[in-house]
Amino acid sequence: MFRFRRSAPRLSVDEARARTSGDRPEAVLLDVREKPEWRAGHAPDAVHAPLTGLAAGAALPAAAQRRPLVVICRSGHRSQRAAKLLTEQNADAVDVEGGMNAWAAAGFPVVDERGNSGSIA
């Protein structure tokens, strides 16, 4: 398993997908968008933890605890803030450049809350 460096560069969507998918992913894809955005469309294996909750002191979901985190939002701005916040709390976290907009543009799957084809709000 790899460890993210504190000063790790941002990941491309290709790197993010490679690290967070497959039978034994190296990291958890942590989506920090708000609930309506999550419901409209997210990566199939992502874990949801809105930045507003994290900033207010909410704990990470169990599936993301003690795991390297690849943090994603819509465009990459909130994920940068979330990755910084999580790193300050001693988590291994790095964000995805371009966020879910870049993810969808790369042709990677996006599902809604029911598992159907989703969209990026």
Side-chain angles (χ1 to χ4, degrees):
M1 182 156 82
F2 73 93
R3 300 264 307 163
F4 292 115
R5 298 175 313 209
R6 286 196 180 278
S7 60
R10 302 177 82 186
L11 297 181
S12 70
V13 291
D14 292 322
E15 293 168 316
R17 186 164 191 231
R19 291 182 180 180
T20 61
S21 61
D23 292 337
R24 299 183 73 189
E26 299 173 15
V28 171
L29 185 62
L30 185 70
D31 191 320
V32 297
R33 295 175 301 146
E34 295 303 313
K35 199 169 206 167
E37 295 171 289
W38 168 263
R39 286 181 184 147
H42 56 273
D45 296 322
V47 173
H48 187 224
L51 175 58
T52 53
L54 294 173
L60 284 169
Q65 292 180 5
R66 294 176 298 282
R67 298 279 316 276
L69 303 170
V70 173
V71 186
I72 196 164
C73 66
R74 182 176 50 84
S75 64
H77 297 298
R78 285 175 284 179
S79 60
Q80 274 188 302
R81 291 189 357 233
K84 183 178 185 301
L85 173 73
L86 292 164
T87 299
E88 289 170 353
Q89 297 172 356
N90 296 316
D92 288 332
V94 65
D95 80 295
V96 180
E97 189 169 14
M100 287 300 298
N101 287 334
W103 181 277
F108 297 150
V110 176
V111 296
D112 67 12
E113 65 182 331
R114 294 181 186 97
N116 299 317
S117 181
S119 63
I120 305 307

